[in-house]
């Protein structure tokens, strides 16, 4: 129940030639030896995140292209009743924006939940490792993934939005099997 700083000072006074550190500092030093420093670990995580974002962008672009192809007749009908090319493009971009926001919020909540579960398991099964009681949450923890998810979704869907503008109003009059989007 003693103050750790007072104990460190008392031991350093009695044995001045000894190097005295707290248990928390010692555990951090041991963890740094295992990871080679946090910078390498952080770099690996960021590289993995960049690859995951690129793959997600490809999947999103393909998904929106398929969605626009499936909606060719509907988009053509919208054009027949007076929708302009820019309105059709905006509708696809708005859909991407909403989908990106909802998916990003779900991802943030899932990530925080998994992080909290990991902290609980570490605290319960590993002695001597200082862990916070809850996952620390600050502005960047929420804003960075939210903005990144929305941005990747909207940028990835922009090609499909451009394809949506190429749907001619007369395409609504064709049979369902004859519809095609001009590239």
């Amino acid at each position: 129940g003693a103050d750790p700083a007072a104990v460190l000072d008392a031991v350093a006074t009695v044995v001045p030639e000894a190097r005295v550190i707290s248990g928390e500092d010692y555990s951090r030093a041991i963890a740094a030896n295992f990871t080679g420093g946090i910078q390498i670990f952080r770099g690996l995580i960021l590289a993995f995140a960049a690859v995951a974002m690129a793959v997600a962008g490809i999947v999103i672009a393909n998904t929106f292209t398929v969605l626009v192809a499936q909606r060719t007749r509907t988009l053509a009908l919208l054009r027949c009743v007076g929708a302009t090319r820019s309105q059709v493009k905006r509708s696809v971009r708005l859909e991407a924006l909403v989908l990106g926001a909802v998916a990003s919020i779900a991802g943030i909540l899932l990530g925080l939940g998994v992080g909290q579960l990991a902290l609980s398991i570490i605290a319960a099964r590993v002695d001597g490792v200082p862990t916070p009681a809850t996952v620390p949450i600050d502005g960047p923890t929420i804003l960075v993934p939210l903005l990144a998810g929305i941005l990747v979704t909207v940028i990835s869907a922009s090609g499909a939005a451009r394809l949506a503008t190429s749907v001619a109003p007369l395409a609504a009059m064709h049979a369902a099997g004859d519809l095609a989007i001009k590239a």
Side-chain angles (χ1 to χ4, degrees), residues 4-139:
V7 172
L8 286 175
D9 290 339
V11 171
T13 306
V14 174
V15 188
E17 64 274 359
R19 179 174 173 241
V20 182
I21 61 172
S22 69
E24 185 176 326
D25 290 340
Y26 178 72
S27 64
R28 286 189 182 147
I30 294 296
N33 286 338
F34 283 123
T35 62
I38 195 73
Q39 299 303 326
I40 293 172
F41 186 65
R42 183 179 295 150
L44 290 172
I45 294 294
L46 289 175
F48 174 74
V51 170
M53 294 284 276
V55 171
I58 292 168
V59 170
I60 292 166
N62 287 337
T63 301
F64 270 92
T65 301
V66 169
L67 286 173
V68 167
Q70 288 176 340
R71 294 182 187 162
T72 302
R73 189 175 185 95
T74 304
L75 295 172
L77 285 171
L78 285 172
R79 294 289 312 279
C80 281
V81 296
T84 64
R85 288 179 186 265
S86 61
Q87 287 174 325
V88 171
K89 188 182 223 178
R90 268 196 312 266
S91 74
V92 174
R93 284 188 176 161
L94 179 63
E95 183 177 358
L97 179 75
V98 170
L99 183 65
V102 169
S104 294
I105 290 169
I108 291 167
L109 293 175
L110 180 66
L112 290 173
V114 169
Q116 186 61 48
L117 179 66
L119 280 178
S120 300
I121 292 171
I122 290 170
R125 299 196 179 208
V126 181
D127 292 330
V129 177
T131 57
T134 61
V135 174
I137 300 173
D138 56 359

Side-chain angles (χ1 to χ4, degrees), residues 117-163:
L117 179 66
L119 280 178
S120 300
I121 292 171
I122 290 170
R125 299 196 179 208
V126 181
D127 292 330
V129 177
T131 57
T134 61
V135 174
I137 300 173
D138 56 359
T141 302
I142 302 299
L143 290 177
V144 170
L146 180 67
L147 293 176
I150 291 171
L151 191 64
V152 166
T153 305
V154 170
I155 290 172
S156 298
S158 65
R162 199 171 38 255
L163 281 176

Side-chain angles (χ1 to χ4, degrees), residues 162-173:
R162 199 171 38 255
L163 281 176
T165 63
S166 67
V167 176
L170 291 177
M173 313 239 328

